[in-house]
Amino acid sequence: MDRVIDIHTHYVPRGWPDLRGDGGPDAPWLRLETESDAVIMMGTKEFRRIRSDCWDAEVRLRDMDTDGVRTQVVSPTPAFFNYGRSGREAARIARIFNDLALEIVEPAPDRLIPFCQVPLQDPDAACRELERCVAAGHRGVEIGNHVGDLDLDSEGVVTFLQHCAALDVPVFVHPWDMASSPRLDRWMAQWLTAMPAETHLSILALILGGVFDRVDDRLKICFAHGGGSFAFWLGRMENAWHGRNDVIGTSRFPPSHYLGRFYVDSVVFDERALRLLVDTVGAERVMVGSDYPYPLGERPVGQVVRKSQFLDDAGRRLIGHENAERFLGLSSS
C-alpha cells in the first residue's frame, strides 16, 4: 500500500498571541519547556503535554516517510474550537489559529494539507471564516460534533454544512467536549467510551434529524475514529426506525439508506473492527486516519489496513489513497 493519505492528524502552533482578552482567564496558551516539549494550558490548568511533532513540519515529514505516508491532512486540535465563547471571541481565535496553521504546512505544501476551524456557534461568521480560509489556502474544515446542547441537525450547523456543499469544501467531524462524571473520569473513559458514543450520536443526528434529506448530496463529510460505535449499532437503529417509526421515523428513509452519504476514517486499531466497518459502510467510504501525533493514535500509520487479510489490493488502494483523493478533490496522478 503506497501513496497513503492520512486524513486525520492534528497540529498545535508553537505559541500564539495572548487570548485572555477574548478567551477569559481560562484561555489556552502554550508553556514551552524545551525546544521540543510543551504543555497546552487552559488558564492555570494543564491540558496536555505535547512535542514538536505538533508544529514542526520537518519532524512530521520524517515520521511520514518512516510510515510510508505521502500526504497528511493537518487539522486543528479540538480543544481550541472555543464554541462556548461568544461568536466574536471564537472568530478572532479561529483566525489566529488558521493563519498559524498555514505557517506550519508552508514548508511542504504538496504533502501537508491544512483544514481550518470556524466559530460554529455563529453560522454567518463561520461561513465568512470558511471563505477567508479557503481563499488563503485551506483545503477543508474540521468541526466539532456539537455546539453546546445543539447537535449537527441544528439550523445553524445545517446552514454551514449547506455552505460547505456549495463551495465543495470537505468537512471532518471530530468529537470534543465529552461529558464528565465520576464514572467517566476513570481510566480515560471519556476517550474510550464517550468519544465513540458522541460520534455515533452525530451520525444519528444527520440521519434522523433529516440533514441528509435537506443538504445537497455534494456535501463531503467524514467522521473520526471509524464513525465511533455507529457500524456496530446500525442494525439496532434500523430495527428502531421500523419498529418505533412513530418516535424516530423523522428521516425520509431508514438509516441504512444514507450509508453512501458520509465517510469514516480507519483508526479502529483492530482488523475485526475494520472488517465490520468496511462491511457496513463500504470500502469506498473508509479512509486512512491515524490521529497523529497524539498517544492514542495509530503508528505506524495505516498498519491495520496494510495487515488486514480480508482486504485485497483494490480495497487497500481505495482506503489508502483513492477515497481521500476523491474527498479532497485531488488529482490521482
Side-chain angles (χ1 to χ4, degrees):
M1 190 172 72
D2 58 0
R3 302 168 60 190
V4 169
I5 299 174
D6 185 350
I7 202 74
H8 180 180
T9 83
H10 298 287
Y11 77 89
V12 177
R14 193 177 184 273
W16 50 85
D18 189 345
L19 301 177
R20 284 175 295 181
D22 280 333
D26 60 341
W29 58 283
L30 197 67
R31 188 179 76 204
L32 292 169
E33 299 196 330
T34 70
E35 283 298 309
S36 59
D37 296 273
V39 179
I40 300 173
M41 302 292 295
M42 298 295 180
T44 60
K45 296 180 180 179
E46 290 190 4
F47 173 73
R48 178 177 294 167
R49 291 187 170 271
I50 61 172
R51 294 184 57 82
S52 58
D53 45 15
C54 282
W55 63 76
D56 190 326
E58 184 176 337
V59 175
R60 279 181 175 267
L61 293 169
R62 186 164 62 241
D63 287 345
M64 290 166 65
D65 290 341
T66 297
D67 289 2
V69 175
R70 179 187 65 177
T71 308
Q72 275 187 354
V73 171
V74 183
S75 293
T77 294
F80 302 126
F81 285 154
N82 291 284
Y83 294 161
R85 308 190 191 282
S86 73
R88 182 189 64 82
E89 293 167 347
R92 176 176 177 267
I93 294 170
R95 285 194 297 271
I96 290 171
F97 278 89
N98 290 334
D99 291 346
L100 290 171
L102 294 177
E103 294 180 11
I104 290 172
V105 305
E106 184 183 18
D110 57 329
R111 300 188 66 187
L112 301 176
I113 297 176
F115 270 32
C116 64
Q117 66 184 67
V118 296
L120 200 58
Q121 65 270 55
D122 184 335
D124 290 339
C127 290
R128 288 194 298 270
E129 179 62 10
L130 179 72
E131 292 174 1
R132 187 189 76 88
C133 288
V134 169
H138 286 269
R139 197 73 64 84
V141 60
E142 179 188 64
I143 64 172
N145 66 303
H146 68 103
V147 179
D149 291 330
L150 300 177
D151 219 317
L152 298 188
D153 61 328
S154 67
E155 287 303 316
V157 176
V158 172
T159 295
F160 178 74
L161 294 177
Q162 289 171 328
H163 197 56
C164 291
L167 296 179
D168 194 28
V169 174
V171 180
F172 185 66
V173 181
H174 197 288
W176 82 296
D177 192 33
M178 289 81 67
S180 177
S181 74
R183 295 172 62 231
L184 288 172
D185 291 343
R186 303 187 297 166
W187 316 310
M188 295 191 73
Q190 285 182 313
W191 279 262
L192 301 179
T193 66
M195 266 195 170
E198 285 285 344
T199 304
H200 179 180
L201 179 58
S202 297
I203 300 175
L204 194 69
L206 292 184
I207 294 173
L208 298 184
V211 179
F212 286 137
D213 292 329
R214 291 184 285 155
V215 174
D216 194 304
D217 62 9
R218 290 178 297 170
L219 175 67
K220 294 184 290 189
I221 189 166
C222 176
F223 291 86
H225 310 134
S229 50
F230 173 84
F232 193 85
W233 290 115
L234 174 61
R236 184 175 178 86
M237 294 166 56
E238 195 84 355
N239 179 67
W241 193 91
H242 290 286
R244 288 304 310 269
N245 194 264
D246 58 317
V247 177
I248 71 167
T250 49
S251 57
R252 189 176 304 166
F253 303 101
S256 62
H257 174 84
Y258 303 94
L259 288 173
R261 292 296 303 274
F262 61 91
Y263 296 83
V264 296
D265 72 18
S266 67
V267 60
V268 294
F269 306 100
D270 185 280
E271 179 176 350
R272 293 163 297 182
L274 181 64
R275 181 165 195 158
L276 173 63
L277 193 61
V278 170
D279 286 346
T280 302
V281 305
E284 69 282 356
R285 290 284 162 174
V286 182
M287 301 182 286
V288 166
S290 70
D291 218 345
Y292 175 96
Y294 293 132
L296 295 186
E298 182 188 51
R299 294 290 308 276
V301 173
Q303 64 178 334
V304 173
V305 174
R306 286 187 173 93
K307 293 180 179 179
S308 289
Q309 296 298 307
F310 74 92
L311 288 172
D312 58 17
D313 288 343
R316 288 192 182 88
R317 286 195 301 272
L318 280 171
I319 297 171
H321 65 90
E322 290 177 358
N323 296 335
E325 288 167 347
R326 185 170 66 254
F327 180 72
L328 297 168
L330 300 177
S331 168
S332 60
S333 60

